[in-house]
Amino acid sequence: MTDQTRDAWGSQLGFILAATGSAVGLGHIWRFPYVAGENGGAAFVLLYIGSVFLIGLPILLVELTLGRHSHRDPVGAIKAIAGQSGWKYLGYLGVASGVFILSFYTVVAGWTFGYLFKTLIGDLTPFGAFSNNALLNGGLYLAFLLMTVGVVYGGISGGIEKWSKILMPILPVILIAIIIYGLTLDGAGAGVSFYLKPDFSRISTDTVLVALGQAFFANSLGMGAMVTYGSYLKDSDNIPGSGLSVVLFGLLISFLAGFAIFPAVFAMGASPAEGPQLVFVVLPQIFASMPGGVLVGFAFFLILTIAALTSTISMMEVPVAFLIDEKKMVRKTAVWVVAGVTVLFGIPSALSFGGSAFFTDLPFLPEAWSVDSFFDIMDYIFGNVALPVGGFFFAVFLGWRWGIDEAIAEIAKGNQSFLGIKSKVWGVLVKYVCPIIIVIVLLNAMGIISF
Ligand code: PHE
């Protein structure tokens, strides 16, 4: 495909909203509260904020710059700089992570979609009885995957951009309504202090890995989604400005989501360490008790469905762009190929919550592990480990193989004010700080070094 016919964003705002749409999703509203709950609350929140600014934002700029420089998928972006060298496997890692993350993420997205109807008809079946229904979960899974297929089919400006622009801005409004109600509940105060008063004794080695992993996951980093989105940018677009908006909006949404959930968790006498079902167990109880709750609940799950959709489309776009750019497939075929592979890994994940006894409690995993289902394994490997590993190599690739000065020149095409101190700080972060911290955290989590 020549660059004249390659897709591009219609406008910079459209790009910002689409990139924000990719970033803001279940990672903020579903994953952030539950991992914060399992990892000690406020102390985790502080570690998370640190990881976002020190590592997330610099690597977001790395990915966007690599993408715009080459106007290619992650594999093509690397080949454009390093040719046929081994670096191309970094691109393949990204493409594979895209498929795997899409496979399990769509399970939770399917729940959101199901809860949309559940709330509307006032069905109060508890989460456990909902998630162990194999047929229902399989069906919701396929329905959500098909919606993703539908948007990615439409391409960049006609599909992804159009949808992101309409719906992203409504999300914070709904969250604020839930927060206001939640704070009026008896016992909400304990949730507020759990969320805002750090207790550092709760921080363990694993906490640091989880905070770092979350910084990657929530900002869609480490698998080339932002390389791919960056590849549809024009030279005049402002990469640092857009990157900062994406990160800040994401932090705002995560912060609000925690504020919506924890007061309610404590008021309902639930445990903040409930795990992946936290949002689905606690919020419906709130909606059931609040005046106008059906409407608020419906609005909440609608927005969450859309936030999830703007993220699944970015995951699918990575392998799709790869098949289009590198394998010369037409978009429509590429979309179906990716959907087919996703289903293979996705169905076991969808059956990991009681739908199948085997996938729910994999017999070969040690009892002592907190990871026990097929879904847990996927979430742990691709949520916590694969993305930081990918991010490490993207930083090293840009900083040491391509060259910071070339990258800064690329960024400056659309933002002259980046030259000077900002670019110097970024250079140091990308070449030294990010790779070193990521390696330390990973080695530490693997038990190879300890403090
Ligand atoms: N950032 C998305 C979210 O928070 C998830 C995601 C991860 C999207 C990786 C793309 C790539 O929900």
Side-chain angles (χ1 to χ4, degrees), residues 19-32 48 97-98 101-102 104-105 214-226 229 254 307-308 310-316 318 382 387:
T20 309
S22 163
V24 173
L26 298 172
H28 298 75
I29 300 163
W30 156 74
R31 200 173 190 275
F32 174 78
Y48 175 66
S97 303
I101 294 180
L102 177 64
F104 74 85
Y105 191 94
Q214 177 64 12
F216 276 91
F217 189 85
N219 293 295
S220 310
L221 299 173
M223 56 164 261
M226 292 298 179
Y229 272 28
S254 286
T310 52
S311 300
T312 53
I313 57 191
S314 72
M315 291 166 200
M316 186 178 265
V318 174
F382 292 99
L387 298 181

Side-chain angles (χ1 to χ4, degrees), residues 12 15 57 60-66 68-69 230 233-234 236-245 410-411 414-415:
Q12 169 142 330
F15 161 70
L57 182 59
L60 176 56
L61 304 190
V62 165
E63 288 201 24
L64 292 175
T65 309
L66 282 172
R68 190 180 67 188
H69 175 71
L233 281 171
K234 301 192 221 4
S236 56
D237 287 322
N238 176 353
I239 291 179
S242 314
L244 187 65
S245 334
E410 175 66 45
I411 294 180
N415 180 339

Side-chain angles (χ1 to χ4, degrees), residues 31 93 97 100-101 104 371 374-389 442:
R31 200 173 190 275
L93 174 70
S97 303
F100 287 123
I101 294 180
F104 74 85
V371 172
F374 185 84
F375 179 99
D376 288 343
I377 296 193
M378 299 295 276
D379 185 43
Y380 192 85
I381 298 182
F382 292 99
N384 294 334
V385 183
L387 298 181
V389 169
L442 286 174

Side-chain angles (χ1 to χ4, degrees), residues 189-210:
V192 176
S193 47
F194 173 78
Y195 189 44
L196 298 182
K197 267 211 214 108
D199 171 359
F200 288 100
S201 67
R202 288 163 181 270
I203 296 221
S204 68
T205 357
D206 214 36
T207 317
V208 183
L209 174 69
V210 177

